[in-house]
Amino acid sequence: MRHLDLLLMRHPHLRSIDYQRLVQRVKEDPAAHWDEFVDACAPVVLTAALRLARNVGNAEAVAEQATVQVFQALAANDYALVRNYIGYGKFPSELVRLTQQAPVLAEARADREFPAVDGVSAIDDPDAEVPALDDRYVGLFEQEGAKFVEAV
């Protein structure tokens, strides 16, 4: 994510942070270094969340909620994610990965990728009728079916 690298290069405070050493300090004593950790990592997580939520109606609120969920995940189970972090690569990349997995962003992404359609039943419903195939796809399926039969 190029914008993340630009954020880290241009921000005077974030540029000076050694994330690997910060993670090591948090591993040793999470309670003592948690505030420093959150101050250093929150801009990274929030920036990634804003980018991931940019097509959502209330992007700022979703991004803030995703940021909270990321830090809750990091603090869960006695800071297990931080304690188990091996240290390969950049820690900000790990933060972006965790941000991508935030439940609120997954819900927004699912709503955007799979919008609800009125009058159409879910495919998973075994009692629902099979929807009729749209005419524009019939010819395409027949062509692809013929190619498949020839290949086999």
Side-chain angles (χ1 to χ4, degrees), residues 4 7 11 13-14 19 38-48 67 71:
L4 182 64
L7 171 73
H11 193 283
H13 174 65
L14 297 179
Y19 285 94
V38 171
D39 289 342
C41 297
V44 175
V45 174
L46 185 60
T47 299
T67 303
F71 285 105

Side-chain angles (χ1 to χ4, degrees), residues 28-132:
E28 293 167 5
D29 188 6
H33 298 287
W34 184 250
D35 290 338
E36 177 186 4
F37 180 77
V38 171
D39 289 342
C41 297
V44 175
V45 174
L46 185 60
T47 299
L50 282 168
R51 293 287 294 185
L52 292 168
R54 69 182 176 268
N55 293 330
V56 178
N58 52 354
E60 292 84 15
V62 170
E64 288 176 8
Q65 193 174 2
T67 303
V68 170
Q69 289 175 349
V70 167
F71 285 105
Q72 286 174 341
L74 286 167
N77 298 325
D78 194 31
Y79 307 94
L81 286 174
V82 177
R83 290 181 192 270
N84 295 332
Y85 178 68
I86 302 292
Y88 298 117
K90 298 180 188 176
F91 189 72
S93 298
E94 180 73 8
L95 291 172
V96 171
R97 186 186 66 75
L98 290 171
T99 305
Q100 290 171 331
Q101 295 174 349
V104 69
L105 289 172
E107 291 170 9
R109 192 168 45 250
D111 290 344
R112 187 177 67 242
E113 292 173 0
F114 307 107
V117 180
D118 294 336
V120 176
S121 60
I123 293 175
D124 296 333
D125 184 6
D127 298 328
E129 291 183 23
V130 176

Side-chain angles (χ1 to χ4, degrees), residues 134-147:
D134 195 55
D135 291 335
R136 57 190 165 158
Y137 297 118
V138 172
L140 178 65
F141 282 134
E142 288 175 357
Q143 290 172 0
E144 293 299 320
K147 288 179 186 176

